[in-house]
Amino acid sequence: MKNPSIRVRLIFGSTLVIAGVLLFSKVTMYREIERSLRQELDEQLLHSAILLSKSAELEAGGVIYEWEEALQSTAGLGIEGLFQFWNLKTGTTSRSPDLGTADLKFFHGEINQPVYQDLHLANGKPLRAIGFLHLPFTNEYGRDEMRRRGNILDPRDYPQVIVCARETTGLEYRLDETKRDLLWSGGLTLLAVWLAILLITHWTLRPLDRLASSLLKRSTEVATPLPEIPPDLPRELVPLASAFRVALEKVETARAHEKDFAFGAAHQLRTPIAGIHAVLEQAISRPRDAETLSQRIRRALEVTRDMRGTVESLMSLARLRGGIDDIVRQPFDPIAVLRNLIGEEERHQGNRHLGVTLPEKPLLLIGDERLFKVLVSILLENAFQHSPDGGRIWIEASPGPDGLVLTVANDARSFHPEDAERIFRPFQRGRKTSVNTGGAGLGLALAREIAQRLGGSIELDWSEEKSVLTFRFELANHPSA
Amino acid sequence: MRCLLVEDYLPLRESIRECLREAGYVVDDYGSGDEGQWSAENHEYEVIILDIMLPEVDGLTILRSLRKQHDKTPVILISARDAVEQRVDGLDAGADDYLVKPFELIELLARVRALTRRRYDRESPTIRIGDLIIDSLRKRAFRAEREISLTRLEYRILAYLAHREGQVVSRAEIGEHVYQDHDSGNSNKVDVYISYLRRKLNAGGEPDLIQTIRGLGYVISAETA
């Protein structure tokens, strides 16, 4: 299911489970009540049957039904329901007055073993009945009488059957009521559970809704802080919200860098174009002599050269980031490369106190020599460009645990620690550096990209105490890129 | 008329400076934000042209600082940032105009003229004071249909006085607005050039438009004639 709803899942899930539990418990409860009521009825029937069986007394003349005498008294029988006696010896039967001339069904089990049956009266009313085969009761008086008359009767010759019955309409009605009550209570329980789930989920998820709406609102606002995670957000959702916030922050940072890149690119390309345009527009704004015109054209050409450098650096950066250029892996001596580049840089940008520490023996590395040269050139140019006249530059290379470690340090009048990461971003420079000071601000971005492609890294360290800026480049011997 | 130009890209700064100077403006130009801010806060300008991306202090910070100090000098922002929101930011920061690089120098010049006119409540580039007409587009002056031949400095003094028609302008103010070097505008020099101007303006026997207010300065007005 796409985007399943917590509420719906909870409601359906809990409905299924609770309905199952409720059904089982209600059915069990109903069965227990029914069993209890029916058992109570059966016990009452048994009680009546036993009472009645005691009223069948064997005397000298045969079986006397004392209950018939009792009916004449004011106390009555005290037995509810209908009953009927059968004297199996004589084949006669006698009925309770309520039966009139109607007969109950004749049935019984073994002697003294009552059995139960559900019956219906002729008018259709349901009955519960007990059939009881027993022998008539004799007491001392009856036995004396039989002895006196010389007519000893054996109760075994006078088996009696009692069928005792009670209407079950009331019982069935009570059971129906119980069933209805149980159904209602089950339904209400389910409803209460649904309501509770709806309320709890609404209450629990409300902070999430708030967070979502503030995020939505935030998406239409520019440069406002990200919404905080609401303190009442359920604990289970906090990791999700935190992860989302972290992701959003990363996206925002990436967007900010992208924006900076776009601004930087716009500035670095539009400003020189504006410069060329202004120089040429000014050149033709009035009649000027050939020498003045020539000077202005040369000026415009200088600007285009700068622009070409910017565009080439930008293209190199794009190629490196896009992984378009293949990395060449061949053996080369980085120390020899370093010596040449330091010499060249010194010739072009003298007036610095240079301290160079290089290993005397050649070092053999496997990697891309061309990219290594570009990277080292950038670091050297950077050191020369950003150190003051007469400042010091230290270059040190040594074999590292897995390749080469190169450090290039220079005097720097001022450096803001917050610039440490910023200067590695395209078109970004130190806060105190003019955006138009030599190059386009792409060198260090390019250097870091190359270092990564070569499987190495560049780190920057600023010593405020000594005012020295140090770049440390580690090159792995077996580039992973 | 004195303009402040703060732009750190040298080829562009040089061209704008030359263009403005050729148009008769006195220009102070700087390549860094802190120098530009200092100058803006310590001198009076007709117009300030301010790049946004500057080292040390950016253009928007300078602009906000000026507006915070109730400095109403018209400011034109020039920037490579062309997005609407960036232009809105610039104008909201208190800029009077915003030009996206690259731009035409003649357009920049026209905007500088427009802001200068607005600053002095002028509706047209042509200023009329009695029978004196000053064409600020062509940098020429006429009186009673006679063209007056003026040197660049004489024209600057006349144009500045004319922009402030009816107001007493001190010698120091004149010096501040017409001399390239802030320190070279001493009283005597101004007095000398005013006397040259009077001579040229009144060559046809017309009444003197420039009146000397003793101890205070000069005022140009048709009513003083």
Side-chain angles (χ1 to χ4, degrees):
Chain A
M1 187 195 290
K2 194 184 173 189
N3 306 124
S5 155
I6 291 176
R7 282 188 190 98
V8 172
R9 281 193 164 185
L10 274 173
I11 287 172
F12 274 105
S14 58
T15 303
L16 274 175
V17 173
I18 293 171
V21 172
L22 278 175
L23 187 69
F24 177 75
S25 64
K26 300 288 176 187
V27 167
T28 309
M29 208 181 293
Y30 176 78
R31 288 168 66 91
E32 184 55 33
I33 291 168
E34 187 187 27
R35 191 195 60 75
S36 163
L37 288 175
R38 291 194 189 283
Q39 189 180 342
E40 191 183 340
L41 179 64
D42 287 353
E43 280 170 3
Q44 286 169 357
L45 285 171
L46 180 63
H47 180 68
S48 299
I50 289 168
L51 276 180
L52 287 167
S53 71
K54 300 288 181 197
S55 74
E57 193 177 333
L58 184 64
E59 291 184 357
V63 177
I64 304 294
Y65 296 111
E66 286 184 344
W67 61 270
E68 287 174 331
E69 291 169 14
L71 275 178
Q72 308 304 316
S73 75
T74 50
L77 267 179
I79 293 172
E80 288 178 12
L82 309 167
F83 54 89
Q84 188 170 356
F85 277 79
W86 281 271
N87 189 334
L88 299 185
K89 173 79 176 174
T90 59
T92 56
T93 184
S94 57
R95 303 175 183 85
S96 64
D98 294 338
L99 260 177
T101 55
D103 280 329
L104 287 174
K105 184 183 172 184
F106 173 81
F107 70 95
H108 60 84
E110 295 295 318
I111 190 155
N112 289 332
Q113 295 290 322
V115 292
Y116 296 90
Q117 278 194 13
D118 291 318
L119 308 175
H120 280 90
L121 281 175
N123 58 11
K125 284 187 177 171
L127 296 172
R128 178 72 173 169
I130 184 169
F132 185 36
L133 174 64
H134 65 98
L135 300 177
F137 166 75
T138 55
N139 56 19
E140 200 53 39
Y141 168 77
R143 279 193 293 276
D144 287 348
E145 188 64 21
M146 279 188 273
R147 273 193 293 272
R148 192 175 58 81
R149 290 189 186 184
N151 184 18
I152 304 295
L153 300 178
D154 187 352
R156 283 176 295 187
D157 296 333
Y158 296 87
Q160 302 290 310
V161 170
I162 305 170
V163 173
C164 192
R166 288 180 75 167
E167 269 191 41
T168 54
T169 313
L171 174 73
E172 296 301 335
Y173 179 74
R174 208 171 147 194
L175 283 174
D176 279 349
E177 259 192 342
T178 307
K179 205 184 286 177
R180 272 199 303 277
D181 288 349
L182 289 173
L183 273 174
W184 270 109
S185 64
L188 284 173
T189 309
L190 268 183
L191 204 65
V193 168
W194 289 344
L195 202 64
I197 288 170
L198 280 175
L199 284 173
I200 291 167
T201 50
H202 175 74
W203 173 58
T204 310
L205 297 179
R206 203 167 45 186
L208 196 63
D209 292 341
R210 258 200 337 269
L211 181 64
S213 63
S214 58
L215 277 171
L216 203 63
K217 190 174 167 223
R218 165 69 175 67
S219 69
T220 61
E221 292 167 351
V222 181
T224 51
L226 283 174
E228 289 298 324
I229 295 171
D232 52 351
L233 188 73
R235 197 174 301 134
E236 294 79 359
L237 294 177
V238 169
L240 175 70
S242 304
F244 186 71
R245 203 170 187 282
V246 168
L248 209 57
E249 274 170 354
K250 282 185 180 171
V251 170
E252 295 239 322
T253 308
R255 266 187 61 193
H257 288 175
E258 209 173 85
K259 213 170 170 183
D260 285 347
F261 179 82
F263 289 163
H267 185 84
Q268 289 299 337
L269 297 173
R270 280 173 185 268
T271 302
I273 290 171
I276 296 170
H277 194 285
V279 168
L280 295 178
E281 189 185 347
Q282 191 55 20
I284 60 164
S285 64
R286 61 179 60 207
R288 300 187 196 274
D289 61 60
E291 181 53 31
T292 310
L293 281 176
S294 169
Q295 274 177 7
R296 285 165 197 256
I297 292 167
R298 277 199 295 275
R299 187 76 166 129
L301 273 174
E302 279 171 24
V303 179
T304 59
R305 274 187 213 110
D306 286 349
M307 276 186 77
R308 193 176 64 194
T310 304
V311 171
E312 278 171 3
S313 297
L314 206 52
M315 294 304 291
S316 301
L317 193 65
R319 279 200 302 272
L320 281 165
R321 284 185 169 177
I324 293 168
D325 291 343
D326 290 333
I327 300 292
V328 179
R329 292 181 192 183
Q330 59 185 25
F332 72 100
D333 177 10
I335 305 304
V337 173
L338 268 168
R339 277 205 185 91
N340 286 337
L341 290 174
I342 293 167
E344 274 177 35
E345 201 64 43
E346 204 177 6
R347 272 195 298 281
H348 286 112
Q349 307 190 51
N351 196 17
R352 302 285 192 280
H353 298 292
L354 210 58
V356 181
T357 311
L358 298 178
E360 285 181 10
K361 288 181 185 172
L363 184 70
L364 201 63
L365 285 184
I366 297 179
D368 193 315
E369 186 177 353
R370 184 186 66 86
L371 286 179
F372 178 76
K373 275 183 184 169
V374 174
L375 190 152
V376 173
S377 300
I378 291 170
L379 292 183
L380 294 179
E381 267 178 37
N382 192 65
F384 275 91
Q385 205 165 9
H386 294 287
S387 56
D389 272 352
R392 296 162 303 170
I393 295 173
W394 299 267
I395 302 161
E396 186 179 343
S398 58
D402 187 28
L404 173 83
V405 176
L406 169 68
T407 55
V408 179
N410 63 276
D411 280 332
R413 284 199 185 103
S414 59
F415 182 81
H416 201 291
E418 283 181 20
D419 287 342
E421 192 50 42
R422 172 191 160 100
I423 59 172
F424 285 105
R425 297 209 300 268
F427 298 119
Q428 302 294 320
R429 300 152 188 270
R431 275 147 224 261
K432 304 250 175 197
T433 314
S434 166
V435 285
N436 298 306
T437 310
L442 287 167
L444 289 175
L446 205 54
R448 179 167 271 184
E449 208 67 45
I450 291 172
Q452 283 169 358
R453 293 271 351 239
L454 293 178
S457 63
I458 293 185
E459 302 300 332
L460 182 149
D461 182 53
W462 162 244
S463 164
E464 192 167 5
E465 193 186 340
K466 296 176 186 169
S467 293
V468 170
L469 199 60
T470 306
F471 288 90
R472 179 186 162 88
F473 166 50
E474 284 192 30
L475 177 65
N477 193 20
H478 302 289
S480 56
Chain B
M1 300 289 169
R2 182 174 286 276
C3 291
L4 172 64
L5 168 64
V6 192
E7 161 62 60
D8 66 341
Y9 190 61
L10 193 58
L12 183 60
R13 187 167 86 231
E14 285 175 347
S15 297
I16 296 174
R17 181 180 64 203
E18 187 183 44
C19 170
L20 288 169
R21 282 185 180 164
E22 283 178 1
Y25 291 92
V26 176
V27 182
D28 291 341
D29 62 297
Y30 298 98
S32 75
D34 53 355
E35 287 175 316
Q37 185 171 18
W38 183 88
S39 195
E41 288 173 353
N42 289 282
H43 296 110
E44 202 178 312
Y45 294 99
E46 262 65 43
V47 174
I48 297 172
I49 301 165
L50 202 54
D51 184 19
I52 292 182
M53 285 178 80
L54 290 166
E56 306 283 351
V57 185
D58 70 78
L60 288 179
T61 307
I62 297 173
L63 176 58
R64 288 195 183 103
S65 163
L66 288 176
R67 296 300 183 240
K68 207 173 172 183
Q69 295 167 43
H70 307 292
D71 187 328
K72 293 178 182 168
T73 309
V75 172
I76 300 176
L77 287 176
I78 53 174
S79 174
R81 300 177 172 192
D82 63 339
V84 173
E85 66 189 61
Q86 291 157 347
R87 280 182 275 165
V88 169
D89 278 352
L91 294 170
D92 282 349
D96 298 85
D97 209 341
Y98 192 105
L99 260 181
V100 176
K101 295 176 186 174
F103 48 79
E104 305 281 338
L105 288 179
I106 51 167
E107 188 185 351
L108 174 68
L109 210 50
R111 289 176 190 243
V112 170
R113 280 196 302 268
L115 288 178
T116 311
R117 281 201 304 276
R118 201 184 304 160
R119 185 171 193 194
Y120 295 109
D121 284 335
R122 297 274 170 200
E123 291 166 1
S124 148
T126 304
I127 303 169
R128 289 174 187 276
I129 302 168
D131 56 355
L132 174 67
I133 298 169
I134 299 165
D135 181 349
S136 64
L137 278 179
R138 287 179 292 169
K139 314 282 173 299
R140 292 164 78 181
F142 302 87
R143 187 154 195 207
E145 296 181 357
R146 165 177 56 89
E147 182 168 3
I148 301 158
S149 171
L150 297 171
T151 64
R152 186 172 287 193
L153 194 57
E154 286 166 354
Y155 174 80
R156 283 185 195 156
I157 294 173
L158 179 62
Y160 183 63
L161 283 173
H163 270 107
R164 298 190 58 183
E165 181 191 355
Q167 296 173 23
V168 178
V169 184
S170 70
R171 290 174 180 82
E173 279 180 289
I174 295 171
E176 175 82 13
H177 283 84
V178 303
Y179 287 104
Q180 186 55 51
D181 184 349
H182 288 281
D183 299 326
S184 63
N186 63 49
S187 307
N188 289 341
K189 262 191 182 177
V190 172
D191 288 342
V192 169
Y193 276 97
I194 290 282
S195 71
Y196 291 163
L197 260 180
R198 276 185 168 136
R199 201 178 304 150
K200 287 184 179 179
L201 291 174
N202 307 337
E206 295 89 347
D208 198 357
L209 294 172
I210 303 171
Q211 191 189 349
T212 307
I213 310 293
R214 208 171 169 77
L216 292 176
Y218 299 97
V219 61
I220 189 167
S221 168
E223 289 168 17
T224 58

